[in-house]
Amino acid sequence: DQSNTWKISIMNMNLFESSPKDVTRLILVRHGRTSANQAGRIGAMKDYPLDETGKEQAARVARRLKRDFPIAVIYASPILRTKQTAQAVADEFGLGDIQFRDELKEYYFGMAADHTMEEIKEENEAVYNEMIAWMNMEPSQPATHLNIPGAELYEDFEARIRRFTAEILEKNPGQVVCAVTHMSLIKGFMAVHFGSGIQQRMNFNALNTSLTIIDFYKKIPVLAAFNDISHLDMPYPYGRVNLL
């Protein structure tokens, strides 16, 4: 009878898997390496192109995505390094249309943007000292965010992450979405959807061309992968507390 049919279907369900039609899969890809990354520049807003290593990283992540994921649409930050990385992915898939979104731009670090720590020390030693002290806080200390002069408001940063999430859930149900963006945005997605919010220190990083995968199962976020660089054939560098 109908009751027995329902019981059998429940018994056959794998509670750790779902149907693709119930999921919008978001693959967050950090851009390839640039000279600004090599120099340790913070939240670069200028149009630094991919360096030779970054171009190779972009080609590798594009091949990895083509091999493993049926990507239907590509979104990207409209900054040069993300454009170039997204183009490598689009070329691999034969997708002609990359949808650029300001919501995916790098977090704006105010006076620290495009600076190395040494340059910040020269320009404003008080801000430099505050940044160093914040990054070196003990785990028992409250780690609310830095107040960097001119930096983007945290509520505005969170709002654009939520806007982009709402857009893909509305436009791309049951699809695999690729979004090429920046480390701070990937950290922001993690904090908004899985952490205690962006008001707390985000103690995780995302390496160049890493994959972070969020499955929105019936619009509920489920973390499927984080900071995956297996396509680069390199060891994971040791991490440290970063800005944001």
Side-chain angles (χ1 to χ4, degrees):
D1 62 15
Q2 187 172 3
S3 175
N4 286 333
T5 301
W6 178 83
K7 290 177 182 177
I8 291 170
S9 67
I10 289 294
M11 289 173 63
N12 290 336
M13 284 179 62
N14 185 335
L15 295 180
F16 301 99
E17 295 180 3
S18 62
S19 169
K21 67 181 177 59
D22 292 328
V23 173
T24 297
R25 170 165 281 182
L26 173 62
I27 304 177
L28 296 164
V29 181
R30 189 184 173 201
H31 59 81
R33 197 183 77 174
T34 69
S35 61
N37 296 145
Q38 277 294 87
R41 296 198 175 276
I42 298 163
M45 301 300 288
K46 296 177 182 177
D47 271 340
Y48 294 95
L50 300 181
D51 62 17
E52 289 307 309
T53 295
K55 291 176 184 177
E56 174 62 21
Q57 290 173 335
R60 283 177 173 244
V61 76
R63 291 194 294 269
R64 164 79 186 283
L65 290 167
K66 177 64 173 176
R67 185 191 74 198
D68 292 342
F69 303 99
I71 289 171
V73 59
I74 301 172
Y75 293 88
S77 158
I79 297 177
L80 181 59
R81 57 192 181 274
T82 42
K83 282 184 175 181
Q84 291 179 312
T85 306
Q87 190 62 58
V89 177
D91 289 346
E92 191 70 33
F93 277 84
L95 294 173
D97 183 27
I98 300 170
Q99 300 189 37
F100 296 105
R101 292 291 184 275
D102 286 345
E103 285 85 355
L104 296 173
K105 279 185 176 179
E106 177 64 284
Y107 175 80
Y108 182 55
F109 284 92
M111 69 83 57
D114 290 292
H115 286 60
T116 65
M117 290 298 289
E118 291 78 10
E119 290 168 347
I120 293 169
K121 185 175 183 180
E122 290 177 5
E123 291 187 19
N124 193 325
E125 190 165 0
V127 171
Y128 169 84
N129 290 335
E130 183 181 350
M131 291 168 71
I132 292 295
W134 184 87
M135 288 188 286
N136 291 331
M137 279 182 180
E138 295 292 330
S140 59
Q141 293 177 270
T144 54
H145 278 300
L146 280 164
N147 183 23
I148 300 174
E152 182 176 359
L153 295 176
Y154 300 130
E155 51 265 38
D156 292 343
F157 181 51
E158 179 170 348
R160 57 188 175 102
I161 290 170
R162 293 194 181 279
R163 278 198 307 275
F164 180 77
T165 300
E167 177 179 350
I168 64 165
L169 293 180
E170 178 184 352
K171 292 184 176 180
N172 308 109
Q175 292 185 319
V176 179
V177 174
C178 176
V180 184
T181 184
H182 307 267
M183 180 196 288
S184 295
L185 265 291
I186 295 170
K187 294 174 71 170
F189 273 94
M190 291 289 292
V192 167
H193 293 301
F194 304 107
S196 55
I198 62 171
Q199 295 300 325
Q200 299 299 313
R201 188 165 66 180
M202 305 177 203
N203 290 345
F204 36 77
N205 294 322
L207 300 170
N208 289 115
T209 67
S210 62
L211 304 182
T212 294
I213 304 174
I214 303 174
D215 285 342
F216 289 92
Y217 170 73
K218 298 184 178 180
K219 300 187 177 181
I220 301 169
V222 178
L223 183 63
F226 175 68
N227 197 28
D228 175 4
I229 57 165
S230 57
H231 48 279
L232 297 183
D233 298 322
M234 60 174 277
Y236 281 86
Y238 288 93
R240 64 153 297 156
V241 173
N242 211 315
L243 297 179
L244 272 187

